[in-house]
Amino acid sequence: DADVTQTPRNRITKTGKRIMLECSQTKGHDRMYWYRQDPGLGLRLIYYSFDVKDINKGEISDGYSVSRQAQAKFSLSLESAIPNQTALYFCATSDPRLGGYGYTFGSGTRLTVV
Amino acid sequence: AQSVTQLDSQVPVFEEAPVELRCNYSSSVSVYLFWYVQYPNQGLQLLLKYLSGSTLVKGINGFEAEFNKSQTSFHLRKPSVHISDTAEYFCAVSENWGGSNYKLTFGKGTLLTVNP
């Protein structure tokens, strides 16, 4: 099994629908992140969590919310999806014992909003 | 605040030619530097990292990068590319936020296309 698992891998949804992207990890890391990838823009940070009770907004959090259900699970929600949220979404974890370089990424969720 | 600039959005090369993908960063503190690769329809894979020590870092698949502190650059190179190196490459910088908390910032990516 992968260290960081994202579900679903692909999703098509309609404008206005609520959708949840899920991320689970077996690394035992406290730190988890959600990034969004758009062509020509690289990866941008949506939300991050340093532990279950510590959740913070990233640079592009508008239109998104998150839930840290447990150390191993970090979900990203789009309350009312819009077409410009069509993107590839990555979840990641990091190991604080490795300073700033112990990141592990999931395989991504490709979301299309029509 | 840190930022990462990848100077070329697309780099087309012929097979067996050398390639350099350029990356510059700005940060007021010490950083860790990374190159990630994303093959078509796949996730991110760490290619190499610079933490400290030797400024020339070797990674997987024959890639290497050189950290130049005075020029705040971390360019990626390969002396002879293969068709299979066709992918998007992301430069990233990790900056300390305080304590053991770090922020990872990505560049916008460089699409390397290797032609036969």
Side-chain angles (χ1 to χ4, degrees), chain B residues 1 9 24-25 46-47 50 60-62 71 73 77 87 93 96 106 109 115:
Chain B
S9 60
N24 287 88
Y25 70 94
L46 181 65
L47 202 56
Y50 171 79
I60 61 173
N61 300 337
Q71 297 186 6
S73 67
R77 302 185 182 100
V93 172
N96 186 268
F106 287 85
N115 299 300

Side-chain angles (χ1 to χ4, degrees), chain B residues 35-47:
Chain B
W35 277 97
Y36 285 86
V37 59
Q38 184 180 33
Y39 296 104
N41 300 311
Q42 294 189 27
L44 291 171
Q45 181 178 359
L46 181 65
L47 202 56

Side-chain angles (χ1 to χ4, degrees), chain B residues 25 40 67 72 103:
Chain B
Y25 70 94
F67 170 57
T72 60
K103 178 184 178 184

Side-chain angles (χ1 to χ4, degrees), chain B residues 12-27:
Chain B
V13 295
F14 288 108
E15 193 173 17
E16 298 183 4
V19 70
E20 177 180 79
L21 306 184
R22 298 179 293 168
C23 174
N24 287 88
Y25 70 94
S26 65
S27 176

Side-chain angles (χ1 to χ4, degrees), chain A residues 3-69:
Chain A
D3 293 325
V4 180
T5 302
Q6 292 184 233
T7 56
R9 289 296 306 275
N10 293 281
R11 180 74 181 267
I12 300 174
T13 192
K14 294 183 178 180
T15 298
K17 292 291 187 181
R18 183 181 187 275
I19 183 169
M20 179 182 289
L21 309 183
E22 300 192 17
C23 177
S24 63
Q25 52 115 344
T26 58
K27 302 287 286 185
H29 294 167
D30 288 326
R31 288 156 171 73
M32 298 188 73
Y33 311 81
W34 275 104
Y35 287 88
R36 166 180 172 160
Q37 183 186 2
D38 297 278
L41 297 179
L43 280 78
R44 294 178 291 166
L45 184 62
I46 306 172
Y47 270 94
Y48 60 99
S49 172
F50 286 156
D51 65 42
V52 175
K53 296 182 179 180
D54 183 4
I55 295 176
N56 305 277
K57 294 182 178 180
E59 54 186 306
I60 54 163
S61 59
D62 287 350
Y64 301 94
S65 63
V66 290
S67 172
R68 186 79 185 267
Q69 302 94 324

Side-chain angles (χ1 to χ4, degrees), chain B:
Chain B
Q2 62 190 18
S3 66
V4 181
T5 302
Q6 292 186 240
L7 297 159
D8 305 295
S9 60
Q10 297 186 54
V11 174
V13 295
F14 288 108
E15 193 173 17
E16 298 183 4
V19 70
E20 177 180 79
L21 306 184
R22 298 179 293 168
C23 174
N24 287 88
Y25 70 94
S26 65
S27 176
S28 58
V29 298
S30 295
V31 296
Y32 297 130
L33 298 160
F34 310 84
W35 277 97
Y36 285 86
V37 59
Q38 184 180 33
Y39 296 104
N41 300 311
Q42 294 189 27
L44 291 171
Q45 181 178 359
L46 181 65
L47 202 56
L48 50 77
K49 61 181 181 284
Y50 171 79
L51 307 178
S52 64
S54 174
T55 57
L56 184 63
V57 179
K58 294 190 183 297
I60 61 173
N61 300 337
F63 284 92
E64 63 181 29
E66 186 161 17
F67 170 57
N68 187 319
K69 187 174 182 179
S70 63
Q71 297 186 6
T72 60
S73 67
F74 190 54
H75 300 334
L76 181 70
R77 302 185 182 100
K78 186 170 182 177
S80 177
V81 294
H82 303 291
I83 299 286
S84 58
D85 292 322
T86 294
E88 189 152 25
Y89 292 79
F90 294 96
C91 181
V93 172
S94 181
E95 182 180 46
N96 186 268
W97 262 340
S100 60
N101 297 322
Y102 288 79
K103 178 184 178 184
L104 188 64
T105 301
F106 287 85
K108 294 183 177 181
T110 298
L111 178 62
L112 174 65
T113 303
V114 181
N115 299 300

